[in-house]
Amino acid sequence: MNLQVQNIGKQFQNGTKALEDVSFQVSQGEFVSVIGSSGAGKTTLFRILNGMMECDSGTILLDGVRLDSGNKREKRNLQKSIGTIYQDFCLVEPSTCLDNVLNACLPDMAFLPSVLGLFGRTRTEEAKRLLERVSLLEKAEEPVKNLSGGQKQRVAIARALMRHPSILLADEPVASLDPVTGRQILTLLKDIQKTEHVTILMNSHNLELSMEFSDRLIGIRDGRIVFDGTPDSLTGDIISRIYQNTAEDPERKEVRP
Ligand code: ADP
């Protein structure tokens, strides 16, 4: 699906303008990283994209359809096209890997089967196939709490894929992992992008990994996009501009008076 973010703005109640006039477009199957220093607005953007937060202004379109259009059910179906994985995995630790993946189906299930955990054969087979996809089938019946960080992130990826997203938001997916494991997770995400043509939109503070794995980078500073281009067009000057300490920057005062 083609994702279009048009003129998004978000101001918090305390007056902080987290996002201002943010616009970009991502085509199906791209791997795009949003980069910027802490407080730039990356998490806010991702929360708006995955429906956890509303923006004050602007529009998000998926294949030309507004994400906030239609009735509740239509909105939910559209929002389903955007899956998310998180830095801290957000799994149910005492439950098995298989159950965690199956839990992704709960919002689409009728009340009784969902409370009884009656997922059915088709869903269970699909969940197992996805655990195999992330090389964890042998851990299907293992409680998540027994897994390593990298394995937990693999379960989270399988859970996200269970909803067949067109776009996978990866919110600091390797920030809690050691460098070798982090690289393995990004290699898996890259493979999912290449093989399943899922769009990967990553938020990472690791510039080196973002440059290595992404087709494109979007640099945010003080809630505004200051760069949108390929990793090889990211010069030292642009990097300084994105990561500049904005506390003493007069431009910042304009953004947050
Ligand atoms: P990043 O993910 O790039 O570190 P965030 O999106 O978390 O940035 O934050 C952007 C700005 O919005 C920061 O100045 C942050 O302090 C502020 N902010 C984030 N969440 C809230 C909130 N719930 N209330 C007020 N300000 C917030």
Side-chain angles (χ1 to χ4, degrees):
M1 280 179 140
N2 184 43
L3 169 71
Q4 268 176 286
V5 173
Q6 294 179 336
N7 315 105
I8 289 291
K10 175 73 186 177
Q11 180 165 18
F12 288 106
Q13 273 184 345
N14 65 3
T16 304
K17 284 184 179 172
L19 295 174
E20 274 205 286
D21 203 22
V22 166
S23 298
F24 60 91
Q25 193 260 101
V26 181
S27 301
Q28 183 63 50
E30 275 190 283
F31 194 133
V32 180
S33 283
V34 179
I35 56 170
S37 49
S38 181
K42 306 180 298 296
T43 306
T44 304
L45 173 65
F46 275 51
R47 287 201 177 134
I48 290 170
L49 288 173
N50 71 14
M52 285 171 67
M53 193 183 272
E54 285 187 7
C55 51
D56 304 327
S57 52
T59 319
I60 298 166
L61 302 166
L62 283 178
D63 279 348
V65 180
R66 281 179 68 129
L67 202 53
D68 61 354
S69 64
N71 60 31
K72 230 175 169 181
R73 193 195 199 133
E74 286 164 338
K75 272 187 215 167
R76 211 178 61 197
N77 275 339
L78 259 187
Q79 194 67 62
K80 213 175 124 177
S81 316
I82 305 181
T84 311
I85 58 165
Y86 302 92
Q87 173 177 352
D88 53 2
F89 322 120
C90 292
L91 297 167
V92 183
E93 294 267 334
S95 298
T96 64
C97 295
L98 184 61
D99 280 341
N100 268 277
V101 178
L102 283 167
N103 282 347
C105 305
L106 290 174
D108 297 328
M109 289 168 64
F111 177 71
L112 208 53
S114 73
V115 291
L116 295 175
L118 300 174
F119 292 103
R121 217 178 73 191
T122 311
R123 289 193 183 100
T124 306
E125 277 171 10
E126 166 86 341
K128 284 185 177 167
R129 187 188 66 76
L130 288 170
L131 280 173
E132 192 170 18
R133 174 72 183 87
V134 300
S135 314
L136 270 186
L137 185 56
E138 79 282 4
K139 300 278 184 196
E141 300 301 337
E142 192 83 37
V144 160
K145 63 174 187 245
N146 295 349
L147 304 186
S148 67
Q151 289 171 331
K152 286 179 186 177
Q153 194 59 291
R154 284 173 188 274
V155 175
I157 290 170
R159 182 186 56 184
L161 293 180
M162 192 71 192
R163 293 176 69 76
H164 308 115
S166 297
I167 300 163
L168 185 58
L169 302 180
D171 193 1
E172 292 283 7
V174 302
S176 303
L177 306 175
D178 65 78
V180 173
T181 312
R183 188 170 285 278
Q184 286 167 352
I185 292 294
L186 291 185
T187 304
L188 173 62
L189 289 176
K190 190 84 192 159
D191 191 56
I192 288 167
Q193 176 215 3
K194 293 282 174 220
T195 314
E196 279 96 337
H197 306 292
V198 173
T199 303
I200 310 286
L201 191 54
M202 178 165 85
N203 162 16
S204 175
H205 68 256
N206 189 320
L207 181 61
E208 198 187 327
L209 287 177
S210 300
M211 288 180 74
E212 183 180 335
F213 285 90
S214 311
D215 304 317
R216 204 174 119 207
L217 302 168
I218 294 175
I220 300 195
R221 185 181 139 209
D222 285 341
R224 288 178 180 274
I225 292 184
V226 292
F227 175 78
D228 186 342
T230 56
D232 57 9
S233 59
L234 190 70
T235 61
D237 277 356
I238 298 169
I239 292 173
S240 318
R241 182 143 185 257
I242 296 169
Y243 290 98
Q244 202 168 9
N245 180 357
T246 52
E248 292 139 29
D249 186 342
E251 264 184 54
R252 188 184 194 209
K253 293 199 181 89
E254 269 173 41
V255 178
R256 290 176 206 160

